[in-house]
């Protein structure tokens, strides 16, 4: 992974993952290695206010419900 490379799609995917997976969000913010993100992407995602990711306590449940309804 290039240290300074910024891939918008990867940032978007990581942000969605942060919305649905608090453990992943903690890894992005913490000291653990996140090999799928460049240093620049991680820095950008660390700038997201954690409160913005926690505004909807039912987001994960609704996302699972949509997936269950869409998959055969």
């Amino acid at each position: 992974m290039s240290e300074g490379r910024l891939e918008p799609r990867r940032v978007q995917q990581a942000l969605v993952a942060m919305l649905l997976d608090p453990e992943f969000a903690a890894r992005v913010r913490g000291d653990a290695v996140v090999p799928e993100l460049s240093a620049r992407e991680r820095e950008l995602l660390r700038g997201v206010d954690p409160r913005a990711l926690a505004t909807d306590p039912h987001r994960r449940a609704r996302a699972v419900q949509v997936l269950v309804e869409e998959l055969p």
Side-chain angles (χ1 to χ4, degrees), residues 55-68:
T55 58
D56 181 0
H58 305 292
R59 180 182 288 125
R60 290 175 73 185
R62 281 199 315 276
V64 169
Q65 181 63 37
V66 169
L67 290 172
V68 167

Side-chain angles (χ1 to χ4, degrees), residues 32-68:
V33 175
V34 184
E36 58 266 25
L37 297 173
S38 72
R40 188 170 174 208
E41 291 164 343
R42 192 168 181 185
E43 180 183 342
L44 180 66
L45 290 166
R46 283 179 168 177
V48 174
D49 188 335
R51 295 173 297 180
L53 302 176
T55 58
D56 181 0
H58 305 292
R59 180 182 288 125
R60 290 175 73 185
R62 281 199 315 276
V64 169
Q65 181 63 37
V66 169
L67 290 172
V68 167

Side-chain angles (χ1 to χ4, degrees), residues 3-4 6 9 11-12 15-19 22 27 29 31-33 35 42-43 46-47 50-51 58 64 66 69 71:
E3 287 304 308
L6 182 72
R9 185 174 294 258
V11 172
Q12 181 184 33
L15 184 56
V16 170
M18 290 172 72
L19 280 167
R27 277 188 27 226
R29 285 196 183 84
D31 295 329
V33 175
R42 192 168 181 185
E43 180 183 342
R46 283 179 168 177
R51 295 173 297 180
H58 305 292
V64 169
V66 169
E69 290 173 357
L71 296 174

